[in-house]
Amino acid sequence: QVQLVESGGGLVQPGGSLRLSCAASGSIFSIYDMGWYRLAPGTLRELVATITTGGSTNYADSVKGRFTISRDNAKNTVYLQMNSLKPEDTAVYACNADIWDTHYYTRREYWGQGTQVTVSS
């Protein structure tokens, strides 16, 4: 089956940077759209950024100009470079991928377990 494993979260001061990674592994034939979402206490899950197989990107207005999503198709990995971080960026960040799964022989949506990002002085 398929697993998504995130890394790169942590504690950073306001104005700092972090880079998140999410690697997909397992019964993968092809990966379509990939993305990052975040969930802060007391809020609904928020789309942060998405990227297509061809590299087209989409960002939440709240992160435009500060965050950059990218992917390495050879490594089945998606990244989120986060710059100029603000306290309001504090959340659990989870990656998402639309994958053709050779185990189930169908296209399925998968989620990572999430990684905590805390922006605080």
Side-chain angles (χ1 to χ4, degrees):
Q1 299 187 13
V2 174
Q3 283 189 317
L4 300 183
V5 179
E6 298 111 335
S7 61
L11 173 64
V12 63
Q13 292 186 342
S17 298
L18 281 175
R19 188 192 194 208
L20 306 182
S21 300
C22 172
S25 63
S27 52
I28 298 169
F29 177 76
S30 185
I31 302 179
Y32 304 97
D33 291 358
M34 303 183 83
W36 289 94
Y37 292 75
R38 66 187 181 185
L39 181 64
T43 69
L44 298 176
R45 186 175 64 195
E46 177 188 20
L47 168 70
V48 177
T50 61
I51 185 167
T52 67
T53 303
S56 296
T57 58
N58 179 56
Y59 295 93
D61 288 343
S62 58
V63 307
K64 282 181 181 176
R66 301 187 298 122
F67 291 11
T68 302
I69 189 171
S70 61
R71 64 190 286 173
D72 185 332
N73 292 329
K75 295 181 179 180
N76 291 337
T77 300
V78 62
Y79 306 95
L80 186 67
Q81 177 66 44
M82 305 184 293
N83 298 329
S84 302
L85 282 160
K86 304 175 181 180
E88 52 263 43
D89 293 318
T90 295
V92 174
Y93 286 70
C95 65
N96 169 275
D98 184 10
I99 295 173
W100 183 273
D101 188 330
T102 59
H103 177 77
Y104 294 101
Y105 202 67
T106 189
R107 192 164 167 170
R108 294 167 61 101
E109 183 179 39
Y110 287 93
W111 290 88
Q113 80 286 354
T115 185
Q116 177 69 45
V117 171
T118 302
V119 185
S120 175
S121 55

